[in-house]
Amino acid sequence: MNIKFITYSMSLILVFMMVFSAPLEAAYAAQPATLKIGSSGSDVPDLQYRLKTIGYFNKDVTTYFGTTTLQSLKRFQKEYGLAADGIAGKRTWETLKKVSVNKSELDLLARIIYAEARGESYKGQVAVGAVVMNRLGSSSFPNSIKEVIEQPQAFTAVDDGQYKLTPNKLAYQAAQEAVKGYDPTNGALYYFNPETATSDWIWSRKQTLKIGRHIFAI
């Protein structure tokens, strides 16, 4: 009985470790490294690309944290009220991820712009991207571009499959403009087409302006 009990207990422990270790490892892996001058690795190009999308880094993306990255990061930190120490730690990463994108996130932003607004003017396409960025910066919405866009029932194009379409060059340009801070909506968190909207709730939002076929609201 003792041997059986020990064997059973060990089995439970192994199952417990398998169930809980994977999520913990995934969560840990998702945290970018603290970076400073001289650092290298896969998180460095992520940092550089994000700084580049918002106009702070003007060189080719590499895997090495050199003086250009240092000065770019210090400028970003200073302008966003962070300690300008040139170290990409937790607070710097959190702030940077609220106002910038990496390569895969830019792809997602271009996709939702193309899916939702490819028939709109360039300004109207940037406006859709700006709403996504405004949601990213708001505490009322998820904390990543992917989660904002793919939040259940947030965007019609995700639900009906148009989100899978390949975006064109104009959609990418609009996405880049939105990331850099161009916001034709002046802070809108919502938009809808009044000719097709079926939600009573969306009509209850405070409307701020209309661009093309979309009404924008907060």
Side-chain angles (χ1 to χ4, degrees):
M1 288 293 292
N2 288 338
I3 294 176
K4 289 183 178 180
F5 178 80
I6 292 171
T7 302
Y8 178 73
S9 299
M10 290 296 293
S11 298
L12 287 177
I13 292 171
L14 287 172
V15 170
F16 181 88
M17 291 174 66
M18 290 173 63
V19 169
F20 289 99
S21 64
L24 288 174
E25 289 174 3
Y28 178 78
Q31 299 299 317
T34 296
L35 303 174
K36 58 185 178 181
I37 192 163
S39 295
S40 61
S42 60
D43 285 324
V44 175
D46 190 1
L47 174 68
Q48 293 173 345
Y49 192 92
R50 288 180 180 279
L51 290 170
K52 193 168 187 172
T53 62
I54 50 178
Y56 289 93
F57 187 78
N58 59 4
K59 301 289 186 180
D60 291 336
V61 173
T62 69
T63 58
Y64 180 72
F65 190 129
T67 54
T68 301
T69 307
L70 176 67
Q71 296 304 320
S72 300
L73 181 59
K74 281 185 173 180
R75 289 200 306 274
F76 168 78
Q77 290 172 324
K78 183 177 180 180
E79 293 188 19
Y80 280 84
L82 300 165
D85 56 9
I87 299 173
K90 182 180 178 181
R91 284 199 63 203
T92 294
W93 275 112
E94 287 176 349
T95 304
L96 189 58
K97 287 185 175 184
K98 283 288 186 182
V99 298
S100 69
V101 295
N102 60 24
K103 178 62 173 66
S104 63
E105 290 171 338
L106 184 67
D107 291 339
L108 296 181
L109 186 58
R111 279 171 55 188
I112 196 63
I113 289 172
Y114 184 73
E116 289 273 320
R118 61 186 178 277
E120 297 294 313
S121 66
Y122 180 68
K123 181 180 178 180
Q125 292 186 45
V126 176
V128 168
V131 167
V132 175
M133 295 305 297
N134 291 340
R135 290 187 181 188
L136 182 64
S138 170
S139 60
S140 300
F141 293 88
N143 296 319
S144 74
I145 288 285
K146 180 177 175 62
E147 291 174 326
V148 166
I149 293 174
E150 297 179 8
Q151 187 176 24
Q153 300 182 327
F155 294 97
T156 302
V158 175
D159 296 333
D160 66 18
Q162 294 185 70
Y163 180 50
K164 296 178 181 178
L165 297 173
T166 301
N168 60 14
K169 184 177 179 180
L170 193 64
Y172 273 99
Q173 291 175 347
Q176 291 170 338
E177 288 260 35
V179 173
K180 287 180 179 178
Y182 176 33
D183 182 4
T185 76
N186 296 317
L189 293 171
Y190 307 95
Y191 66 88
F192 63 98
N193 185 334
E195 296 179 4
T196 59
T198 58
S199 168
D200 292 335
W201 179 86
I202 196 64
W203 284 98
S204 71
R205 309 309 301 174
K206 181 181 179 181
Q207 299 176 18
T208 54
L209 77 164
K210 189 170 188 267
I211 302 174
R213 289 174 293 180
H214 288 142
I215 291 175
F216 292 83
I218 55 177

